[in-house]
Amino acid sequence: MNLSPRFARRIRPFVQYELDAATQRESRGEFGSAFGHLERAHVLAQASTVEHVRVHWAMFGWALRHNAAGEAIGQAWRIAGAALKTWLWVPTGNTGGAGVSGFKPMPVPPELQRCIDVARH
């Protein structure tokens, strides 16, 4: 876990890129692809409490806009968990959607791992 403000500052542009891509895809009606970018943003954001909460908030908004009640409820819980427990532990690579256990580690795509590595150093 990297809790430094420096990491948060350095990972933010990568997270923002994915959030912007999600917004663009959603505006074109590509809802599944949009959520996929939110999941990528989550993988990047996990080690920063502020960024982690920000991504879950974006996922919550997506769920509300698409009347996905289960996803919205799951994201409400995840927002609280991200705010309170990111400093303690997060499962590496977890994509953050309500359909995935919040405790399940997952592989990190190589291109996202490179972004994380850049932000850590």
Side-chain angles (χ1 to χ4, degrees), residues 63-87:
L64 291 179
R65 287 189 301 280
H66 298 284
N67 298 313
E71 188 66 42
I73 292 165
Q75 290 307 321
W77 280 107
R78 283 165 172 75
I79 289 167
L84 298 172
K85 299 193 182 216
T86 295
W87 65 273

Side-chain angles (χ1 to χ4, degrees), residues 35 115-116:
F35 198 81
C115 296
I116 293 166

Side-chain angles (χ1 to χ4, degrees), residues 32-111:
S33 178
F35 198 81
H37 282 284
L38 294 175
E39 291 174 317
R40 290 171 57 84
H42 183 268
V43 171
L44 293 167
Q46 285 182 292
S48 163
T49 299
V50 170
E51 294 302 309
H52 194 186
V53 170
R54 192 163 78 102
V55 170
H56 280 298
W57 185 253
M59 290 176 152
F60 180 71
W62 181 96
L64 291 179
R65 287 189 301 280
H66 298 284
N67 298 313
E71 188 66 42
I73 292 165
Q75 290 307 321
W77 280 107
R78 283 165 172 75
I79 289 167
L84 298 172
K85 299 193 182 216
T86 295
W87 65 273
L88 185 61
W89 177 80
V90 292
T92 303
N94 188 286
T95 55
V100 173
S101 166
F103 301 101
K104 181 180 181 181
M106 301 169 82
V108 177
E111 70 278 9

Side-chain angles (χ1 to χ4, degrees), residues 3-25:
L3 302 176
S4 78
R6 186 173 130 222
F7 175 79
R9 199 171 49 252
R10 288 181 169 191
I11 201 66
R12 186 177 180 97
F14 299 112
V15 173
Q16 190 60 52
Y17 175 86
E18 295 297 338
L19 293 175
D20 291 345
T23 299
Q24 291 169 359
R25 296 292 173 97

